[in-house]
Amino acid sequence: MPIYLPPISRRQFLVRSLVGGAALALTPELLAASRRTDSNSWALLSDIHLCADPGLVARGINMTDHFKQVSRELLALPKRPAGVFITGDCAYNNGEVADYAHMADLLEPIRKDQMPVHLVLGNHDNRERFWEALPQEKAAKRPLADRQVALIRTSRANWFVLDSLEKTLSTPGLLGQEQLDWLAGALDANRHKPALVLVHHNPGTMASVSGLKDTEALYAIIRPRKQVKAYIFGHTHVWQVAQDPSGIHLINLPPVAYVFREGEPAGWVHATLDRKGMRLELRCLDTSHKAHAQVTDLRWRA
Ligand SMILES: [Fe+2]
């Protein structure tokens, strides 16, 4: 079973609602429960930086408020996304157990609406405390026992969730040989469907020590395996779509939390898969931002 926070069951949800009283029959949650799911639609979130203190403001924004706004947007979509990915930096700064407990509370409406949530770890997370706060995640069977790694098979793509958290509060990331070996084997065993790789850290360059330290080793695995179509990451708090020389799309997700440079958009990305590519729609928290609703159509390399 892949590692993720599963939806809270409809039955469990209805029992809770009935206990709460008949007035709940008109709540947005119940209305949302009748939505149809689009199995090709995915919500891509990154760098939510949630703190146990819901009132905490950093770099001029309240992270809890930002997350709640995105949550409301997901619940209001005409069709329910098949799932949500959060590509790391789930916690505010150093991954406290209480940060993850707060995150779990904030994820409840999404999970009640039957959206599974797949969580990725970043350099502001702490793996042990993440698992301590989320026993379901700790108990889940993983391809690598000591890393938050998963392979999620869906109708139009296989999602490879990698764990680049090397050391909490140390900026660069590292996958390590064991994880790279697993990835190569898992890709070889799943050749016939587009593969999308999710990692918190951006590709590192010789000039930058803040990204993924073993980028070249990762590229050596994913470039020749033509089923790999995209490398999706966060970490930089910048929205950008580029392409590496082999044709792999490099999708840098915006932060749900704060931006580092004024004017950059904070928000999330609504991804819709088709047979030959993926459509990305940027959803800015500030809907007056010039990049809000910007659509990028990606075609897969051959
Ligand atoms: Fe971050």
Side-chain angles (χ1 to χ4, degrees):
M1 181 186 151
I3 180 165
Y4 70 98
L5 290 175
I8 296 169
S9 80
R10 184 72 49 79
R11 186 166 178 274
Q12 191 182 349
F13 165 60
L14 287 174
V15 167
R16 283 192 198 179
S17 300
L18 289 170
V19 167
L24 283 173
L26 293 177
T27 61
E29 288 86 350
L30 277 178
L31 290 173
S34 64
R35 282 195 305 174
R36 300 227 337 242
T37 299
D38 180 350
S39 62
N40 299 311
S41 151
W42 300 85
L44 307 181
L45 281 57
S46 195
D47 295 273
I48 59 177
H49 286 280
L50 290 170
C51 178
D53 173 5
L56 187 75
V57 169
R59 296 176 188 261
I61 67 104
N62 177 297
M63 288 72 76
T64 294
D65 287 349
H66 271 212
F67 188 85
K68 283 183 171 174
Q69 183 181 330
V70 171
S71 172
R72 285 193 298 272
E73 289 173 16
L74 298 183
L75 294 169
L77 289 170
K79 286 187 183 172
R80 176 190 298 111
V84 178
F85 288 100
I86 303 178
T87 60
D89 283 356
C90 297
Y92 170 55
N93 189 38
N94 60 344
E96 299 295 338
V97 171
D99 299 337
Y100 297 121
H102 180 53
M103 176 186 73
D105 287 346
L106 292 181
L107 288 173
E108 267 218 13
I110 296 171
R111 296 176 59 215
K112 276 182 185 168
D113 192 45
Q114 309 305 300
M115 280 181 261
V117 180
H118 303 276
L119 298 162
V120 184
L121 297 177
N123 50 299
H124 287 285
D125 289 306
N126 180 288
R127 197 177 293 107
E128 285 68 36
R129 294 200 284 264
F130 170 82
W131 283 337
E132 188 181 333
L134 300 165
Q136 285 176 77
E137 296 275 356
K138 187 174 187 181
K141 200 169 176 214
R142 289 178 293 276
L144 297 176
D146 58 353
R147 290 284 186 124
Q148 178 80 358
V149 170
L151 165 54
I152 298 142
R153 293 185 179 86
T154 65
S155 61
R156 287 192 176 153
N158 292 320
W159 303 80
F160 291 78
V161 176
L162 304 183
D163 179 347
S164 59
L165 166 59
E166 183 187 25
K167 190 175 172 214
T168 304
L169 285 179
S170 171
T171 304
L174 186 77
L175 295 170
Q177 196 57 49
E178 191 187 6
Q179 187 169 187
L180 290 166
D181 290 345
W182 169 77
L183 176 65
L187 285 169
D188 288 345
N190 294 275
R191 293 174 193 274
H192 302 299
K193 195 175 276 189
L196 309 176
V197 174
L198 292 142
V199 192
H200 174 70
H201 285 83
N202 57 301
T205 63
M206 295 298 279
S208 162
V209 292
S210 64
L212 188 69
K213 288 195 222 171
D214 41 7
T215 299
E216 287 310 315
L218 174 63
Y219 276 150
I221 290 169
I222 63 177
R223 279 178 170 153
R225 290 170 170 87
K226 297 296 185 184
Q227 73 271 36
V228 179
K229 309 301 186 190
Y231 169 174
I232 302 168
F233 54 96
H235 189 53
T236 65
H237 293 219
V238 169
W239 161 243
Q240 190 173 48
V241 182
Q243 214 166 359
D244 97 310
S246 75
I248 294 175
H249 295 287
L250 303 173
I251 302 167
N252 196 166
L253 298 173
V256 168
Y258 41 78
V259 294
F260 293 143
R261 281 199 306 267
E262 201 179 340
E264 298 278 356
W268 62 284
V269 172
H270 192 183
T272 308
L273 290 160
D274 61 37
R275 285 189 179 78
K276 295 183 176 176
M278 180 160 64
R279 175 185 191 268
L280 303 176
E281 182 179 346
L282 178 66
R283 306 300 301 175
C284 296
L285 280 145
D286 172 6
T287 56
S288 69
H289 193 285
K290 65 181 187 302
H292 179 61
Q294 176 191 83
V295 170
T296 309
D297 274 307
L298 306 181
R299 294 297 93 193
W300 296 151
R301 66 177 179 163

